[in-house]
Every structure is written in structure tokens, then in C-alpha cells.
Amino acid sequence: WQAVLEEAKDLSTKGKNFEGIQKINNCMELFETEVGSSGSKILKEPLEFLKEFMGKMSPEQKAAAFTMFSTRGDLLSSLGATKRAATEYAAAATLQPDDQETSSKRAKLEATAKIEQDKDGKVPVSVLTGFLGSGKTTLLNHILGANHGKRIAVIENEFGEVGIDDKLVKGGSMAEDENIVEMNNGCICCTVRGDLIAGLKKLIKNSRKSGKILDGVLIETTGLADPAPVAQTFFADDFVQQHMRLDGILTLVDAKHIVQHLDDEKPEGVENEAVEQIAFADRILLNKCDLVDSEEELKEVEKRIKAINEKVPIKRTVDSNVEMDFILGIKGFSLDKIIEMDDAFLEDSHDHTHDSRVSSVGIDVPGELVQQKLNDWLSWLLKEKGTDLFRSKGVLAVKGMKQKFVFQAIHMLFANSMEGAWQPDEEKRCKMVFIGKNLNREELTSGFMQCMAKS
């Protein structure tokens, strides 16, 4: 691999990035075999690879690995894959934490990524949910202790007596009145007793006062039946809406026990929280996979999850270990993501069985809607069926509007916005997705179709 590394460095210097990437990949796979790993783990999950093999490397191997990760970061960065390049630099920084050049490359990348990610300057907020024992505290510990170079505020939305104060804030002193503690990696841990909006405002103001800009906020919804009330905060308060945006809902699932929770027979009128949490999710961490006996069993669990929330991305994890990119800055509530997530799903024509459990209904039709009819129908729908509708979202063509009309709702609370103009050669289509329980496909589809403009 030594000679191949020199070739890769040379190609990088000459700006031949595509060839350089091929070379460095080849070099790193050869190196991986030498240190006893396999399956391209060094390329796919560099930080996991280091966690496992760094301790077994000689000083010479560590120095070489540092050069490899730095070179691969440079090549990826030149190709515009900034997110991935940042991961390579993070791996390099794990090997040589004091290297100034790597630090400044990372900082530069993060600054550009931040500009790309949020031109509106809003702080992305993720809501973390999951059944008791699914590994939420472990994930929070991981975020507050990991070397990910991001400044994240973790809010424990606690209504009980003891929060994560004791377990989480290892060695941090907790100021009673504030309940905000800065961790040694720059992250913030704070406990909100009661009013979440007050807590969010405090974070925004503190961040401005100190000049330390937040990269993201993670809210843990301990013991809450469903994440809706927390998510709705972002539609409900003007100040919060101006400075923050709901980025996504993350659900942690305990792979070993989830099926029994899903099959749990609840008394009349009582929600099955496990089902709701999966229905709401933009991302699912299928955790504790090491406790499951076979691959078949894991596939079965994934099948059950997909039956409730068909298009949700699932990541298998052990000890809640996950790359930050999978859970933060995912724009689960943005136009791109709605379209991306729902394209394939919307084409479904297979009949869903009409049982009482949670399901999804997708509509995708060419043409334009009449705004007044749409407003009337949506108002009626959210009022009458809002409790059963967990999430509704759509990208719609409305007659007389040049821009795309984006609609989002959580139960009865909704928000809409105009995003991106329809291009002259673009076919105007309406896409709508409903996730909820007792959904009547026929009723939803025909109600929607009655709002269409006559062509």
C-alpha cells in the first residue's frame, strides 16, 4: 500500500481527484487487510474502524492512516462531497488530535456546510423519541461526549424529579436555576422542567450573548406518549419559528423487544405508543441489534417497522452508536426530503388491508388544485380526523400559483409555505402523504380529487 499511497498523494496534488479517489480507496483497502480488518470498513465507517483497530496499530501504521484519511478528505472535498470529507478529517483528527492543519480544514468545511445547510440561519432541532430502555440516554451520552466537532444542545424535556442531570453530566456541576451545563466538547446539556418554549428561547438568547453558534438542538421526549406535542412547538411560537426549524423526528427502537410492544393489546381508547413513535419517525435507529439472535429476526423487525412507516430510513446500531449526519441536519421537514422520501411510495397501487393499525396513504396525480376547495377540505379533514392523522405532508400545484405549495401537519396543527417555482417544462403534479390510524384510502383519495381544477 505504501507505493499506492504515494501515487494517490501525487494525483491529489495535481488535482486529478477522480483517479486519486480510486487510488486512495485501493490503498486503504490494502492497509485495512494488513491491520486485520475486512469488508472495506475503513472506507464505509472510518470512525468505527478506528475504534476497533487503532489500539492494535504500530506508531508507523497510525501515521500512515492519518495521511490516508487526510488525503481522502482532500480528494472528497475537491469533488464537492463535503459531508463525507468532514468524516475523513474527523478520522484523521482521532489519530492526531493536535494537528492544526486538519483542524482548520474541518472548520472550513463545517463553515461552508453550515452555509449550505441553513441559508435561513435557523438552528435545526431534532426530536428524539423511543420506548423506555431503547437506548436514548446512551445516545445522548454519546453525543455529549463524542468528538464530532459540532456544538449541540441537548434538552431533556423532563417532567419528573430526576433528569439526565445525574447520569449524563459526568463531572459537570449543575447550576440549579439554570440547568444548563456546557460539556467539555462544547455541547450543552440542559433540563427543561415544564415549558419547552421557554427553554428554547433561553438557548437562543444564551447562544447569541456568548457568540457561540449552535449547530443543532436535540430534544429528548422522556415518557411522552408521542412526539407530536413537542414537534408542534415549532408551529406554535413565532420566536421559536424565526430562529429554529424542526429538522426531524428520530425514534430509537429496541430490536429485541419492539415486536412485543407493537403486539401489545391496549384497552379501548389507549394509544399504543410504540406504534405512534414509529409512525412519526423521519429516522429510525434500530438499536441493541447485538441482542437479537439471527439476521432473519432482524429482517422481520424491519418488516414490521416498514408496515407502519413504509419509507423511513432505518439504521442498525449497537449501544446507540451512530454518525451525527444520520440524525442531525436531515431536513425531514423540508421540500427535498418530502419529494425524495415519497416518490417511490406514492406510486403504490397495491391494496392496503383496512385494519385498525397505523398505515400510510399516498396520492400522486397530475394537474392543479383549486385553493379554496383545498383549504375547505383540509380544514374539515384536520378537524374531523386530526386525532387519527399523525403526519400529513404534501407538495402541491395550486392553480394561479407560480410556486410549489408545501403543506405539513401534525395532528390538527399545520403549517404551509411556498418553495421553489415550477419550471416552464416541469409537469405540475400534486403529491400528498397521510400517516395515521384507521385511514380510509377511498375517502382520502376521493376528497382530495374533488379539490382538483377541471382541466
Side-chain angles (χ1 to χ4, degrees):
W1 54 262
Q2 286 85 345
V4 189
L5 178 57
E6 290 311 312
E7 286 175 54
K9 280 160 62 183
D10 183 48
L11 288 165
S12 177
T13 315
K14 289 176 179 162
K16 295 185 175 177
N17 302 316
F18 274 111
E19 292 135 81
I21 275 288
Q22 309 308 318
K23 279 286 177 216
I24 196 73
N25 287 358
N26 181 327
C27 156
M28 290 169 87
E29 284 175 330
L30 292 167
F31 176 80
E32 177 180 53
T33 320
E34 181 179 290
V35 298
S37 175
S38 62
S40 303
K41 188 163 189 175
I42 190 170
L43 298 176
K44 291 178 191 161
E45 298 181 79
L47 299 168
E48 287 297 306
F49 164 81
L50 287 176
K51 199 178 275 184
E52 203 172 326
F53 292 97
M54 194 163 121
K56 302 170 187 171
M57 291 183 201
S58 67
E60 293 76 16
Q61 284 174 327
K62 281 181 187 168
F66 171 79
T67 308
M68 287 175 203
F69 284 121
S70 300
T71 307
R72 191 162 192 257
D74 294 346
L75 288 161
L76 285 165
S77 179
S78 304
L79 289 168
T82 48
K83 227 173 189 182
R84 191 58 232 214
T87 306
E88 301 300 316
Y89 292 143
T94 307
L95 288 152
Q96 294 188 17
D98 300 330
D99 186 77
Q100 287 305 305
E101 198 183 346
T102 309
S103 300
S104 68
K105 281 179 190 171
R106 276 180 85 187
K108 197 171 149 193
L109 269 193
E110 275 161 16
T112 48
K114 210 177 277 172
I115 293 161
E116 282 164 25
Q117 187 195 345
D118 269 317
K119 294 191 177 71
D120 56 5
K122 292 182 180 182
V123 180
V125 182
S126 307
V127 177
L128 176 65
T129 177
F131 228 63
L132 294 170
S134 58
K136 294 194 295 291
T137 303
T138 312
L139 176 64
L140 295 183
N141 260 327
H142 175 56
I143 291 168
L144 291 171
N147 184 11
H148 44 60
K150 292 190 189 302
R151 199 176 153 74
I152 299 160
V154 170
I155 293 185
E156 168 85 337
N157 198 23
E158 240 334 311
F159 298 98
E161 290 307 302
V162 273
I164 38 178
D165 315 359
D166 334 313
K167 276 207 287 271
L168 255 188
V169 190
K170 296 172 177 161
S173 69
M174 183 57 95
E176 262 318 295
D177 52 339
E178 276 270 76
N179 285 341
I180 294 184
V181 164
E182 184 150 338
M183 308 301 286
N184 50 16
N185 68 348
C187 285
I188 295 167
C189 170
C190 70
T191 306
V192 176
R193 305 250 189 260
D195 187 14
L196 178 62
I197 291 175
L200 289 169
K201 286 180 175 170
K202 195 176 198 175
L203 274 179
I204 296 164
K205 287 170 181 164
N206 283 4
S207 142
R208 285 178 156 183
K209 211 159 45 183
S210 66
K212 295 176 176 175
I213 303 302
L214 287 172
D215 291 313
V217 177
L218 200 62
I219 301 173
E220 190 201 357
T221 60
T222 329
L224 285 178
D226 72 44
V230 172
Q232 287 171 336
T233 303
F234 295 88
F235 299 149
D237 184 85
D238 286 344
F239 185 81
V240 171
Q241 207 169 8
Q242 280 162 22
H243 296 94
M244 295 181 157
R245 64 171 171 78
L246 184 56
D247 184 55
I249 294 175
L250 322 167
T251 299
L252 264 157
V253 169
D254 172 349
K256 180 82 176 155
H257 299 107
I258 186 65
V259 174
Q260 73 189 56
H261 290 313
L262 294 177
D263 291 339
D264 206 2
E265 286 294 325
K266 296 282 183 185
E268 191 61 40
V270 175
E271 300 301 344
N272 183 333
E273 291 104 331
V275 176
E276 292 208 357
Q277 288 166 355
I278 289 172
F280 271 108
D282 292 299
R283 287 279 192 277
I284 284 188
L285 299 185
L286 186 57
N287 196 29
K288 305 194 173 181
C289 288
D290 51 330
L291 303 179
V292 174
D293 299 331
S294 65
E295 176 65 18
E296 283 66 44
E297 202 178 323
L298 275 175
K299 282 193 172 136
E300 189 51 42
V301 171
E302 287 173 339
K303 206 166 112 190
R304 288 294 300 271
I305 291 170
K306 295 282 186 191
I308 296 167
N309 189 340
E310 197 170 352
K311 288 318 260 181
V312 69
I314 300 172
K315 171 90 85 182
R316 295 181 181 184
T317 57
V318 172
D319 289 333
S320 306
N321 251 321
V322 66
E323 303 260 325
M324 292 300 108
D325 289 355
F326 185 75
I327 56 174
L328 293 169
I330 59 177
K331 297 201 167 174
F333 277 77
S334 80
L335 175 69
D336 296 342
K337 276 292 181 283
I338 298 172
I339 292 178
E340 203 179 289
M341 167 185 139
D342 298 325
D343 265 2
F345 160 51
L346 286 164
E347 291 152 19
D348 82 24
S349 54
H350 51 263
D351 285 323
H352 287 247
T353 48
H354 293 289
D355 60 6
S356 61
R357 53 153 217 214
V358 173
S359 63
S360 346
V361 171
I363 299 167
D364 180 8
V365 290
E368 296 180 298
L369 290 151
V370 178
Q371 185 162 19
Q372 194 50 54
K373 288 183 176 178
L374 177 69
N375 289 351
D376 293 347
W377 180 67
L378 284 173
S379 306
W380 171 83
L381 184 70
L382 296 179
K383 203 168 93 203
E384 293 298 316
K385 312 277 182 195
T387 43
D388 285 351
L389 279 168
F390 298 160
R391 295 276 293 262
S392 324
K393 43 193 172 178
V395 180
L396 310 170
V398 175
K399 205 172 171 63
M401 271 186 204
K402 292 194 173 105
Q403 287 178 297
K404 295 172 182 175
F405 182 80
V406 180
F407 175 85
Q408 302 255 15
I410 295 183
H411 290 311
M412 288 92 157
L413 261 192
F414 67 91
N416 51 46
S417 59
M418 303 294 166
E419 307 224 14
W422 291 98
Q423 298 308 310
D425 55 350
E426 190 179 359
E427 183 194 21
K428 291 192 171 176
R429 299 189 73 84
C430 295
K431 300 178 177 193
M432 193 85 193
V433 182
F434 300 98
I435 300 174
K437 60 176 198 290
N438 309 318
L439 295 185
N440 182 330
R441 178 177 291 269
E442 202 55 47
E443 181 184 46
L444 288 169
T445 310
S446 70
F448 187 83
M449 293 308 291
Q450 280 164 16
C451 304
M452 297 298 286
K454 304 279 180 280
S455 51

